[in-house]
Amino acid sequence: MAQLWGGRFTKDTDQLAYRFNASISFDRKMYREDILGSKAHVAMLAKQGILTEDEKTQIVQQLDMILADVESGRLVIDDTYEDIHSFVEANLIDRLGDAGKKLHTGRSRNDQVALDMRLYTREEIKETDVLLKQLLETILRLMKEHIDTVMPGFTHLQKAQPITLAHHLGAYFEMFRRDRQRMSDIYKRMNYCPLGSGALAGTTYPLDREYTAELLGFYGPTLNSMDGVSDRDYLIEYLSAAATVMMHLSRFSEEIIIWNSNEYRFVELDDAYSTGSSIMPQKKNPDIAELVRGKTGRVYGALMALLTTMKGIPLAYNKDMQEDKELTFDAMDTVKGCLALFEGMLASVKFQPDIMRKSASLGFTNATDAADYLVNRGMPFRDAHGVIGQVVLYCIEKNLAIDDMSLQELKQFSDVFEEDVFAAISMETCVNKRLTVGAPGKAAMERVIEQEEHYLKEHPPLV
Ligand code: ARG
């Protein structure tokens, strides 16, 4: 057992209690942040005359060496320490002796861990943003390729009206764009430095909190030391945004799974992103999409768990808060992993435009347009709706699309039909007449694609 606080104790902690309490097995992930924070703290202590320049130089040098040793594997973060903070401090003292013992002046593990977690989350938000941007780029590339690829649009998973693949993908572009905006909003709100909050009530040393905040790239210090050590809102916000990313990925995965099914065959997954069956030789399963859909649950779970952990905690720091880490780290790794894999899968998917188009024309997706045709020739809409309903019934019996009927057959239902009906209800016409902002018509899509291209250029990854 290696702990920082033995002084007022007369006997050792129970072994099980010690292990229950220790966090090194998971907070070791923050070794870089812990060292970075300590370096800034020491630089500030020296600037304020609390440490000498010489002490600062020695401590910073040794902290850098600890970092290098951990990264190279020479120094292993083992479970004998209580947490990552004790590990770094104990190693520093081993290397420096008394000078190392001054590192923790004017600091508590409460503000230290609050700082480490913020630094860690800040990087995660940036990395998530990069992955979201890559996914958006892939979606936009596919939209450009498939601006003329007609497919059925669905409501209730029933074929409804013809759209294009570009239009369908464009809906996901909007979702992931909003996800990026959420990440950047959270970043702006959380980028304040809790270091210097002490255990809960600040310190009596003349710390310069503005200075450490600046050294660490924060907009400024947090303004209440109790809140500084016990605020976990930013994690809840991050988990909420991450859960939303997963929800979007899960919906998209569900569509890929349906499109890849034997009945639809709208897409063929690349071999690199599908798996076989150990017993059924014909199988090519969409496991990656299914796993992304499945992993959504654990990210939702992390959000619920942290909300619940935080709900009854009185001010200021309480040990419950240590529970913020494992589940948040897991959610962070899950979201990043899923984004990267999903992007790879999507980029390599083979779409089947002919099958999509055929599915649109066999699904009476032009029935609304056929009714509109009659309306444009003077028939009241309700009557037109009835006529086309009968036409559809006839087609179902004969296994035809409306376009497959002859003019003569159509005229049995209404003599308003003329030769020009075929042009009016062709899939291309149905799509390209829809030109309101946000609709699938080619000219409308082209304008949106231009705006989205502009958006990507104007919004580089967060820094
Ligand atoms: N491992 C702790 C956590 O993650 C660090 C803070 C410990 N503070 C304390 N007063 N025991 O929350």
Coordinates of all heavy atoms in Angstrom, one line a residue, residues 21 23 26-27 82-83 85 108-110 113 232 317-319 321-322 324-325, ligand 1:
N21 N -11.2 1.4 -2.5 CA -11.0 2.8 -2.6 C -10.1 3.3 -3.7 O -10.3 4.4 -4.2 CB -10.5 3.2 -1.2 CG -10.5 4.7 -1.0 OD1 -11.6 5.3 -1.1 ND2 -9.4 5.3 -0.5
S23 N -8.0 4.0 -7.1 CA -8.5 4.3 -8.4 C -7.4 4.2 -9.5 O -7.7 4.4 -10.7 CB -9.1 5.8 -8.5 OG -8.1 6.7 -7.9
F26 N -7.8 2.6 -13.1 CA -8.4 3.3 -14.2 C -7.9 4.8 -14.4 O -7.8 5.3 -15.5 CB -10.0 3.3 -14.2 CG -10.5 3.6 -12.8 CD1 -10.8 5.0 -12.5 CD2 -10.8 2.6 -11.9 CE1 -11.4 5.3 -11.2 CE2 -11.4 3.0 -10.6 CZ -11.6 4.3 -10.3
D27 N -7.5 5.5 -13.3 CA -7.1 6.9 -13.5 C -5.7 6.9 -14.0 O -5.2 8.0 -14.3 CB -7.4 7.8 -12.3 CG -6.6 7.4 -11.0 OD1 -5.6 6.7 -11.1 OD2 -7.0 7.9 -9.9
E82 N -2.2 4.3 -4.7 CA -3.7 4.5 -4.5 C -4.3 5.1 -5.8 O -5.4 4.6 -6.3 CB -4.0 5.4 -3.3 CG -5.4 5.6 -3.1 CD -5.7 6.7 -2.0 OE1 -4.7 7.1 -1.3 OE2 -6.8 7.1 -1.8
D83 N -3.6 6.0 -6.4 CA -4.1 6.7 -7.5 C -3.0 7.3 -8.4 O -1.8 7.2 -7.9 CB -5.2 7.8 -7.2 CG -4.6 8.8 -6.2 OD1 -3.4 9.1 -6.2 OD2 -5.4 9.3 -5.3
H85 N -2.2 10.3 -8.9 CA -1.6 11.5 -8.3 C -0.5 11.0 -7.3 O 0.6 11.5 -7.3 CB -2.6 12.3 -7.5 CG -4.0 12.3 -8.2 ND1 -4.2 12.8 -9.5 CD2 -5.2 11.8 -7.8 CE1 -5.4 12.7 -9.8 NE2 -6.1 12.1 -8.9
S108 N -4.8 20.3 -3.6 CA -5.5 19.1 -3.0 C -5.7 18.1 -4.1 O -5.7 18.5 -5.3 CB -6.8 19.5 -2.4 OG -7.7 18.5 -2.3
R109 N -5.8 16.9 -3.8 CA -6.2 16.0 -4.9 C -7.6 16.3 -5.5 O -7.9 15.9 -6.6 CB -6.1 14.5 -4.4 CG -4.7 13.9 -4.5 CD -4.8 12.5 -4.1 NE -5.2 12.3 -2.7 CZ -5.5 11.1 -2.2 NH1 -5.5 10.0 -2.9 NH2 -5.9 11.0 -0.9
N110 N -8.4 17.0 -4.7 CA -9.7 17.3 -5.2 C -9.6 18.3 -6.4 O -10.3 18.1 -7.4 CB -10.6 18.0 -4.1 CG -10.8 17.0 -3.0 OD1 -10.5 15.8 -3.1 ND2 -11.4 17.5 -1.9
V113 N -7.6 16.3 -9.3 CA -8.4 15.3 -10.1 C -9.4 16.1 -11.0 O -9.7 15.7 -12.2 CB -9.1 14.2 -9.3 CG1 -10.3 14.7 -8.6 CG2 -9.3 13.0 -10.1
R232 N -19.3 18.3 -12.2 CA -19.2 17.3 -13.2 C -20.2 17.5 -14.4 O -20.4 16.6 -15.1 CB -19.3 15.9 -12.6 CG -18.3 15.5 -11.5 CD -16.9 15.4 -12.0 NE -15.9 15.0 -10.9 CZ -15.3 15.9 -10.1 NH1 -15.5 17.2 -10.3 NH2 -14.5 15.5 -9.2
Y317 N -16.5 18.2 -2.6 CA -16.1 16.9 -3.1 C -16.5 15.7 -2.2 O -16.5 15.8 -1.0 CB -14.5 16.8 -3.2 CG -14.1 15.5 -3.7 CD1 -14.0 15.2 -5.0 CD2 -13.7 14.5 -2.8 CE1 -13.6 13.9 -5.5 CE2 -13.3 13.2 -3.2 CZ -13.3 12.9 -4.6 OH -12.9 11.7 -5.0
N318 N -17.0 14.7 -2.8 CA -17.3 13.4 -2.1 C -16.8 12.3 -2.9 O -16.7 12.4 -4.2 CB -18.8 13.2 -1.9 CG -19.4 14.2 -1.0 OD1 -19.7 14.0 0.2 ND2 -19.7 15.4 -1.5
K319 N -16.4 11.2 -2.3 CA -15.7 10.1 -3.0 C -16.6 9.5 -4.1 O -16.1 8.9 -5.1 CB -15.3 9.0 -2.1 CG -14.2 8.1 -2.6 CD -12.9 8.8 -3.1 CE -11.9 7.9 -3.5 NZ -10.8 7.8 -2.6
M321 N -17.7 10.8 -6.5 CA -17.3 11.4 -7.8 C -16.3 10.6 -8.5 O -16.1 10.8 -9.7 CB -16.9 12.8 -7.6 CG -18.0 13.7 -7.2 SD -17.4 15.3 -6.7 CE -19.0 16.1 -6.4
Q322 N -15.5 9.8 -7.8 CA -14.5 9.0 -8.4 C -15.2 8.0 -9.4 O -14.6 7.6 -10.4 CB -13.8 8.1 -7.3 CG -12.8 7.2 -7.8 CD -11.9 6.6 -6.7 OE1 -11.1 7.4 -6.1 NE2 -12.1 5.4 -6.4
D324 N -17.1 8.8 -11.7 CA -17.2 9.5 -13.0 C -16.3 8.9 -14.0 O -16.6 9.0 -15.2 CB -17.0 11.0 -12.9 CG -15.6 11.4 -12.5 OD1 -14.8 10.5 -12.2 OD2 -15.3 12.6 -12.4
K325 N -15.2 8.2 -13.6 CA -14.2 7.9 -14.5 C -14.4 6.7 -15.4 O -14.4 6.8 -16.6 CB -12.8 7.9 -13.8 CG -12.4 9.2 -13.4 CD -11.1 9.3 -12.6 CE -11.1 10.6 -11.9 NZ -12.3 10.7 -10.9
Ligands
ARG1 N1 -9.4 9.3 -7.0 C1 -10.1 10.4 -6.6 C2 -11.2 10.7 -7.6 O1 -11.1 10.2 -8.6 C3 -9.2 11.6 -6.5 C4 -9.6 12.6 -5.5 C5 -9.3 12.1 -4.1 N2 -9.7 13.1 -3.2 C6 -9.9 12.7 -1.9 N3 -10.2 13.6 -1.1 N4 -9.9 11.4 -1.6 O2 -12.1 11.4 -7.3

